[in-house]
């Protein structure tokens, strides 16, 4: 009996560390599902009139004003989405923990300077993320556009996110005109920006 007690006491620190690790993983997962659940609840599920194009991950939307928000960029600037009115904006929701986001990030970083010269602004918002990890991700990807973290999940809820990466293309008047769920290719970016910039 004493031998069993000794084994239990020796194993206790290791078991305690395992339990802490499991809780550390479970809490963010629960938070993500809560955010997505609230977003779906607010929108009543998938709203009527929205269809998913399975070929490109495009979601058809009725042009509507993009909900305004403020995000603190990694450079410490308070940036309001409406401050970008007059420019075409690609609003990109992502996370440092998201494998498709990581695969797509270098291409977005490389594409940004060319579109910036045409009056397009990219804005990246990390959701359900640790700020230090998100900053490291942005640095590694070489992104030169404004990025910040949606620390409370409010922006994600307001936009009814269903997955990431998720992109909203906003025209110069502040209306959402295109939306994609999942990574986008250079060809998609070129097609979307060409259409918006010529209208």
């Amino acid at each position: 009996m004493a031998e069993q007690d000794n084994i239990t006491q020796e194993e206790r620190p290791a078991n305690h560390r395992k339990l802490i690790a499991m809780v550390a993983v479970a809490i963010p997962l629960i938070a993500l599902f809560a955010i997505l659940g609230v977003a779906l609840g607010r929108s009543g599920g998938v709203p009527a009139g929205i269809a998913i194009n399975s070929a490109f991950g495009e979601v058809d939307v009725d042009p509507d004003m993009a909900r305004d928000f403020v995000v603190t960029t990694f450079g410490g600037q308070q940036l309001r989405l409406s401050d970008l009115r007059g420019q075409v904006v690609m609003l990109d929701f992502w996370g440092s923990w998201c494998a498709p986001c990581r695969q797509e990030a270098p291409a977005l970083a490389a594409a940004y300077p060319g579109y910036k010269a045409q009056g397009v602004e990219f804005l990246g918002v990390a959701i359900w993320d640790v700020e230090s990890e998100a900053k490291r991700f942005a640095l590694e990807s070489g992104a030169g556009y404004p990025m910040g973290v949606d620390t409370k999940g409010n922006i994600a809820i307001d936009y009814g996110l269903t997955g990431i990466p998720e992109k909203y293309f906003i025209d110069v008047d502040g209306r959402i005109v295109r939306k994609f769920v999942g990574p986008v290719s250079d060809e998609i970016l070129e097609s979307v920006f060409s259409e918006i910039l010529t209208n």
Side-chain angles (χ1 to χ4, degrees):
M1 186 75 168
E3 187 177 339
Q4 283 183 334
D5 287 344
N6 287 340
I7 291 170
T8 303
Q9 288 174 0
E10 288 170 4
E11 290 176 345
R12 198 167 285 155
N15 289 340
H16 185 66
R17 285 192 297 275
K18 287 179 187 174
L19 180 62
I20 289 172
M22 287 171 54
V23 169
V25 169
I27 288 175
L29 282 173
I30 291 167
L32 175 63
F33 287 120
I35 287 171
L36 295 177
V38 169
L40 283 174
R42 281 192 177 183
S43 65
V46 179
I50 292 184
I52 296 177
N53 177 333
S54 58
F56 300 108
E58 182 170 7
V59 178
D60 293 328
V61 293
D62 293 325
D64 200 2
M65 293 302 291
R67 289 183 182 232
D68 203 14
F69 61 84
V70 177
V71 66
T72 303
T73 68
F74 295 149
Q77 175 191 3
Q78 293 281 306
L79 179 60
R80 184 175 294 277
L81 179 62
S82 57
D83 292 342
L84 302 176
R85 194 71 51 82
Q87 299 177 78
V88 172
V89 177
M90 184 193 72
L91 174 58
D92 180 33
F93 290 99
W94 57 276
S96 64
W97 46 270
C98 160
C101 302
R102 285 190 167 276
Q103 292 168 357
E104 177 187 52
L108 293 179
Y112 174 64
Y115 288 114
K116 175 75 172 170
Q118 298 177 58
V120 174
E121 185 59 85
F122 289 11
L123 175 58
V125 178
I127 65 161
W128 186 60
D129 216 332
V130 177
E131 188 166 355
S132 60
E133 292 298 317
K135 282 183 178 178
R136 183 180 302 125
F137 170 90
L139 187 62
E140 289 170 358
S141 72
Y145 51 91
M147 289 186 167
V149 178
D150 179 14
T151 53
K152 296 181 180 176
N154 294 335
I155 303 169
I157 290 169
D158 281 346
Y159 275 77
L161 258 62
T162 57
I164 60 170
E166 193 162 300
K167 287 168 194 58
Y168 293 78
F169 292 84
I170 303 167
D171 69 11
V172 294
D173 298 318
R175 293 172 305 177
I176 296 170
V177 292
R178 301 286 290 274
K179 175 182 174 181
F180 288 82
V181 177
V184 295
S185 65
D186 289 338
E187 291 76 18
I188 290 173
L189 288 177
E190 184 177 348
S191 171
V192 171
F193 287 131
S194 175
E195 177 188 318
I196 297 173
L197 290 167
T198 55
N199 286 342

